[in-house]
Amino acid sequence: MIRVELDVMLARRKMKLKDLAAEVGISVTNLSLLKTGKAKGVRFETLAAICASLDCQPGDLLIFEKEED
Amino acid sequence: MKRKDYLRLSGWVLQFMRGLCVIALAFMLYDGIRHSIDPEYYFVRWEWYGLSGDMDFVEEGEYPPQTAASYYFNWIQISIQLVLMFLVWTQLIKVLNSVVSFETFISDNPIRFRKIGSLILGIFFMDLFHFFDGMASADTEIQVGANFSILFFALGAYVLAIVFEEGKRLAEEQKLIV
């Protein structure tokens, strides 16, 4: 499964979700969905905007974890 | 014509059809009351005076007088079919309203189409059996036959229910893509 580490990156950058939403240009609700892992997918456009805003790579935000049976 | 105009026109057509059902139901109610008060009404009207009200004998096969059992059987059958048709139009109006308000795949359209399918199936079953018992013994007719064109409409409604269900699922998934 893919785990979203947005909260970790936000903490590192000392940034609030509200400010990131304003910078990226998407709603706080959608960003919150992404942060809590409820989102089913991320558009490349959104990912690029988040990476640009947080000055990081997609790999810093998305981590693959092997699921145990 | 723009999309909105087509939808508005369709809305009027659906409202008109539903209105026709109401008028037909009102006529059925009037006719039923009239028949229960005066069962001879048909006999007099059709046999001696004819449709135009002139002194005329009705031709063979054209609305011959029927027994009370036959009349009430047909009355109940037609009334139920009209009620079902009214409900079908009502559901279709709701579907159209959801399309107008850009909520085609958000609202309960799959459930509505399933309801429409079931209602049309009801009309199909109500249409399976025809019974007419005339005053003269030679007029008695019992027919059993399926009208498959009605069944195809029901099938169409069920297929649309599945299509809309898939659309709703995709719309909900789309909502979760950031």
Side-chain angles (χ1 to χ4, degrees):
Chain A
M1 67 174 281
I2 301 289
R3 188 156 52 85
V4 183
E5 295 249 294
L6 185 63
D7 46 352
V8 177
M9 282 310 293
L10 281 170
R12 274 186 200 159
R13 300 286 184 267
K14 288 179 183 147
M15 205 174 179
K16 281 182 181 170
L17 195 73
K18 206 174 100 183
D19 301 328
L20 180 67
E23 243 179 78
V24 173
I26 61 170
S27 66
V28 181
T29 320
N30 275 347
L31 215 53
S32 180
L33 278 176
L34 187 65
K35 198 181 102 176
T36 52
K38 284 177 188 166
K40 292 238 177 186
V42 196
R43 287 192 191 89
F44 285 144
E45 199 185 331
T46 314
L47 193 60
I50 294 170
C51 286
S53 185
L54 293 173
D55 190 26
C56 64
Q57 291 298 311
D60 298 326
L61 292 169
L62 306 172
I63 288 159
F64 173 69
E65 273 180 355
K66 222 173 191 178
E67 273 182 277
E68 282 173 30
D69 294 326
Chain B
M1 272 173 99
K2 286 176 186 173
R3 177 184 180 270
K4 217 174 182 179
D5 297 325
Y6 280 118
L7 289 172
R8 198 176 296 157
L9 190 70
S10 308
W12 286 339
V13 171
L14 292 179
Q15 293 277 10
F16 175 73
M17 295 309 286
R18 193 168 68 158
L20 279 184
C21 278
V22 173
I23 292 167
L25 272 167
F27 175 76
M28 288 300 290
L29 192 68
Y30 162 77
D31 204 59
I33 293 167
R34 181 82 193 252
H35 190 275
S36 65
I37 294 168
D38 180 18
E40 297 291 305
Y41 157 64
Y42 280 89
F43 186 75
V44 173
R45 190 175 173 197
W46 301 115
E47 189 79 1
W48 291 339
Y49 293 99
L51 261 175
S52 59
D54 302 330
M55 286 293 276
D56 191 15
F57 284 96
V58 89
E59 282 182 28
E60 205 179 330
E62 193 183 316
Y63 304 110
Q66 55 185 319
T67 59
S70 169
Y71 173 82
Y72 284 114
F73 177 84
N74 285 300
W75 190 88
I76 291 167
Q77 192 182 34
I78 295 168
S79 299
I80 291 173
Q81 280 181 323
L82 281 170
V83 169
L84 293 174
M85 275 170 75
F86 173 83
L87 294 171
V88 167
W89 295 122
T90 307
Q91 291 300 324
L92 280 173
I93 289 167
K94 281 182 187 172
V95 169
L96 196 78
N97 286 342
S98 75
V99 176
V100 171
S101 56
F102 297 101
E103 288 176 351
T104 316
F105 296 113
I106 299 168
S107 53
D108 292 332
N109 283 343
I111 298 165
R112 282 174 194 149
F113 273 111
R114 237 173 256 282
K115 264 187 199 169
I116 290 169
S118 306
L119 290 167
I120 296 175
L121 217 58
I123 295 172
F124 169 77
F125 283 119
M126 290 306 296
D127 199 53
L128 276 178
F129 192 73
H130 290 274
F131 170 64
F132 186 88
D133 187 20
M135 289 290 192
S137 57
D139 288 335
T140 304
E141 268 178 47
I142 297 171
Q143 286 178 352
V144 180
N147 187 349
F148 286 104
S149 56
I150 300 174
L151 207 58
F152 281 121
F153 279 110
L155 193 70
Y158 282 127
V159 168
L160 279 173
I162 294 166
V163 170
F164 272 73
E165 219 164 57
E166 186 64 15
K168 194 178 179 181
R169 193 185 63 78
L170 288 172
E172 272 167 10
E173 231 174 62
Q174 186 67 25
K175 259 197 265 177
L176 289 172
I177 293 174
V178 180

